[in-house]
Amino acid sequence: MRSAWLMGLIVLGAVLAHTPIDAQEQNTWHYKGGWIQTSRGWIDWQRNDVDGRYCLFSGHSATAAENDVWCYNADTNQWQEVYPGNRSATQPIGGDLHAWGWDHVGKEYFLFDSGKTGWRSYAFNPLTRSWRQMTDNDFSGLSGRTFISSSGTATSPDHDLMVITHGGAFPTRVVRFLDLRNGTYSEINSPSNPPVRTFVQNQFLYISSIKKFLLFGGSTGTQYLNDLWLLDPVTRTWMPIAHVNPPAANSNAQMAYDSVQDVVYLTGGDRGSAQVSILHVSNWTWQHLPLPTGSAFTDYPSRRRNGGSMFHPTAGFCTVAGGLQGGTWIEALPTWCFKHAVSTDTVPPARPLQGGSDFVPNNLGNLVGGGQKRANDPADVARYELQRSQDNGANWIDTVNVTANGSPTYGHTYKGVLDGPFRVRAVDAAGNRSEYLVVSP
């Protein structure tokens, strides 16, 4: 029996070359626990800058079209019904597939048309919690608009412009513009626009880093699409983008733009899955993340179609409502938020100071490997990665991670193995790995 490591943990081995890795990505779903009272789908979920909440109108439930307004506070994780359903003449009846956007100039939500209820145009004031009908006095030319349904709606505060693109009674290529500062409405129906499509409610976004609008995919009615387009709000012209590693063609998906990390998130949809895909705006490259470990509804949301989605700097990429995988509706749909973070820490920790081993013969034997903690354990060092070899270091096997918890020593016992060297390195919270310390038998 060897006991040198127990008598002082003497360094017995040589140091191998340092192998750096990229900073660690952290991708996690969080069940927020807040929910809207009734299940619903085919909705928009838009932030206002009056109280900073994300509000939605109506949507179609499993049995009927609602006509209420709900707002979500992402800081406190609270939903509130700010306007209960009311079938009065001054309030629109419920529906779905409408356009719902925020006017940051006039401080109102705009509501246009619906696949269920047809033509209508209303404004909702979140302070007075009241509706009013909109006319050409609000936007000249508004009454002559092409019908809006399952269209994409997004607003540019940089250009004081709300854009409602594609969709309609049938798939179209019409792009509608509301000049929020000057009160005018116009539209363009040109062969230079992206081809006809519909079901893009959450697949049209304003990208503030490049001051352009982004459109992804949709459905022509007979074919799903996965093309990517940018709309210049100044020239009002489109440009196709050759994106790398694109996701499957899709419609009715959930998407949102993360202005903090300059990425776009996508999940769910008619042809998608519960996986999250991330579009890096800097190089137009998609990254497709694997499903998290665990099970749907417990550790991550199931595939969600026709729901609402948004991005909040603290909460992350959040999604709510919509039909779930297999067409199932849930009575009170929860809110889920996805956090994507890339650590900027690229400095590896120092290698472990001392290590030793002990081998207890028993048929094969138990190999005990360990060492003394680093001074920055656990402030910077998060774990120790141990491996063993049974061919004198030619190959390293049986990787084990031991959590750094501030204890004076750490270790692991390999049971029923051959005697041989082991090696250990420190790993920090960002995933940076130190040089190896090799301990010989």
Side-chain angles (χ1 to χ4, degrees):
M1 175 189 295
R2 294 193 315 275
S3 58
W5 85 285
L6 297 173
M7 298 172 60
L9 300 170
I10 301 171
V11 178
L12 300 174
V15 175
L16 298 185
H18 165 58
T19 305
I21 67 162
D22 294 334
Q24 183 187 45
E25 284 193 9
Q26 299 171 5
N27 299 298
T28 53
W29 277 105
H30 300 272
Y31 171 54
K32 306 299 287 186
W35 61 81
I36 50 179
Q37 189 176 34
T38 305
S39 60
R40 62 193 73 204
W42 294 280
I43 55 174
D44 277 318
W45 195 16
Q46 301 278 3
R47 182 183 183 273
N48 71 69
D49 55 13
V50 172
D51 59 18
R53 293 193 292 181
Y54 298 77
C55 300
L56 57 83
F57 167 75
S58 187
H60 201 280
S61 73
T63 57
E66 306 300 322
N67 63 341
D68 46 7
V69 178
W70 285 80
C71 294
Y72 179 66
N73 187 325
D75 293 311
T76 61
N77 187 37
Q78 290 181 324
W79 280 98
Q80 182 186 21
E81 187 180 40
V82 299
Y83 194 93
N86 186 329
R87 304 267 177 179
S88 68
T90 58
Q91 193 250 320
I93 62 175
D96 58 9
L97 299 175
H98 43 256
W100 172 258
W102 174 249
D103 173 10
H104 61 277
V105 177
K107 308 302 180 184
E108 294 178 306
Y109 281 104
F110 291 164
L111 171 70
F112 297 110
D113 305 341
S114 168
K116 293 290 182 184
T117 57
W119 295 84
R120 66 218 184 134
S121 54
Y122 285 87
F124 179 76
N125 186 318
L127 289 179
T128 63
R129 302 185 180 184
S130 60
W131 292 92
R132 67 177 184 85
Q133 289 186 306
M134 297 175 61
T135 68
D136 284 358
N137 291 329
D138 295 290
F139 292 90
S140 59
L142 182 62
S143 62
R145 68 186 178 277
T146 299
F147 183 70
I148 299 168
S149 178
S150 61
S151 306
T153 304
T155 301
S156 165
D158 297 309
H159 306 90
D160 297 332
L161 188 69
M162 182 182 295
V163 179
I164 304 172
T165 194
H166 291 71
F170 301 96
T172 71
R173 69 170 84 224
V174 176
V175 187
R176 310 157 187 86
F177 301 89
L178 288 93
D179 186 327
L180 304 176
R181 189 66 61 181
N182 298 306
T184 60
Y185 174 87
S186 61
E187 56 185 50
I188 298 176
N189 186 4
S190 167
S192 62
N193 291 350
V196 299
R197 66 195 65 206
T198 190
F199 298 129
V200 290
Q201 270 186 296
N202 286 270
Q203 295 176 214
F204 181 62
L205 312 167
Y206 180 66
I207 310 299
S208 57
S209 64
I210 56 175
K211 293 182 168 56
K212 290 180 173 60
F213 293 90
L214 177 147
L215 173 65
F216 168 75
S219 170
T220 66
T222 59
Q223 178 185 5
Y224 292 99
L225 305 170
N226 69 341
D227 51 352
L228 191 69
W229 294 78
L230 289 182
L231 171 65
D232 187 324
V234 177
T235 64
R236 301 192 177 183
T237 56
W238 292 86
M239 178 176 66
I241 298 298
H243 49 153
V244 179
N245 192 29
N250 206 353
S251 63
N252 284 320
Q254 276 62 73
M255 294 181 67
Y257 171 61
D258 176 347
S259 58
V260 178
Q261 300 183 89
D262 199 27
V263 298
V264 173
Y265 303 106
L266 178 149
T267 190
D270 294 324
R271 295 283 302 281
S273 70
Q275 290 179 280
V276 174
S277 294
I278 300 176
L279 173 63
H280 297 268
V281 174
S282 60
N283 56 14
W284 300 118
T285 299
W286 289 90
Q287 174 187 5
H288 307 297
L289 304 179
L291 277 178
T293 57
S295 58
F297 302 109
T298 301
D299 302 288
Y300 58 92
S302 181
R303 175 174 67 94
R304 183 167 274 161
R305 303 177 293 111
N306 322 315
S309 53
M310 60 79 168
F311 172 78
H312 180 269
T314 303
F317 169 48
C318 301
T319 177
V320 74
L324 298 182
Q325 191 163 313
T328 302
W329 291 81
I330 294 180
E331 194 56 34
L333 288 171
T335 304
W336 287 84
C337 293
F338 175 81
K339 293 296 292 289
H340 169 70
V342 179
S343 172
T344 57
D345 178 9
T346 59
V347 179
R351 69 178 177 86
L353 286 173
Q354 298 184 39
S357 66
D358 190 19
F359 186 75
V360 182
N362 181 13
N363 189 7
L364 289 175
N366 294 338
L367 174 65
V368 183
Q372 291 182 342
K373 80 177 187 73
R374 289 289 310 174
N376 52 355
D377 164 4
D380 182 46
V381 175
R383 57 189 170 89
Y384 298 96
E385 186 179 278
L386 286 77
Q387 294 178 319
R388 71 178 185 90
S389 175
Q390 54 189 28
D391 53 13
N392 203 32
N395 297 283
W396 296 95
I397 59 176
D398 293 343
T399 301
V400 173
N401 289 291
V402 178
T403 301
N405 57 15
S407 298
T409 61
Y410 60 89
H412 176 73
T413 300
Y414 292 102
K415 296 184 177 181
V417 299
L418 296 173
D419 193 7
F422 84 93
R423 65 181 185 178
V424 59
R425 61 182 175 183
V427 185
D428 67 18
N432 302 302
R433 291 165 167 79
S434 75
E435 299 168 328
Y436 277 111
L437 173 70
V438 179
V439 179
S440 299

